[in-house]
Amino acid sequence: TPLNPVTDVALAPDGTLSFANAAIDAGLTTGGAYEIAWARFDNDTGVTTTVATTRASEPRASGPPTLLSEAAFIAVTIRTTHPDYPAWAQPVRAWLRRDGARWATVGLEREGGIGR
């Protein structure tokens, strides 16, 4: 539990972001909430520009329609809040690339402690 347990980040064609919380799935805890920052990612320069931040109580959220309709690449940063695990606030960042009408997850970065 020293790292944010977010895994399996995926973005559906309808703009629904989904992910798993490995600690909850393993039965180690319940609850928690998520802060999700949505950003345009320029693959040529490496610059990310945050366009919206949303909160969710479940491991899913809807992306900003304008970002999803215009961007070729996006970065999604997920912070998990749980009263028993303050280290989960360290972000997990996923990079997604438009592939026709679908989104492909092309990178995942986990900040904090071990397993970086």
Side-chain angles (χ1 to χ4, degrees):
T1 57
L3 297 174
N4 187 334
V6 165
T7 63
D8 301 325
V9 179
L11 184 60
D14 70 357
T16 302
L17 179 74
S18 63
F19 49 94
N21 181 317
I24 290 174
D25 293 349
L28 298 175
T29 191
T30 59
Y34 307 94
E35 179 184 280
I36 304 158
W38 298 85
R40 185 176 319 280
F41 176 66
D42 185 324
N43 196 45
D44 293 327
T45 65
V47 173
T48 57
T49 305
T50 301
V51 298
T53 301
T54 58
R55 296 188 185 280
S57 59
E58 298 292 326
R60 66 180 169 276
S62 295
T66 303
L67 174 67
L68 298 178
S69 66
E70 296 175 355
F73 288 88
I74 62 171
V76 178
T77 303
I78 305 167
R79 294 178 187 272
T80 305
T81 56
H82 193 288
D84 297 333
Y85 304 103
W88 290 4
Q90 292 294 324
V92 169
R93 192 166 295 113
W95 283 268
L96 300 112
R97 175 181 50 84
R98 182 184 305 284
D99 186 10
R102 299 184 177 270
W103 288 93
T105 303
V106 294
L108 188 71
E109 179 182 67
R110 188 175 308 280
E111 290 188 21
I114 59 173
R116 210 170 159 179

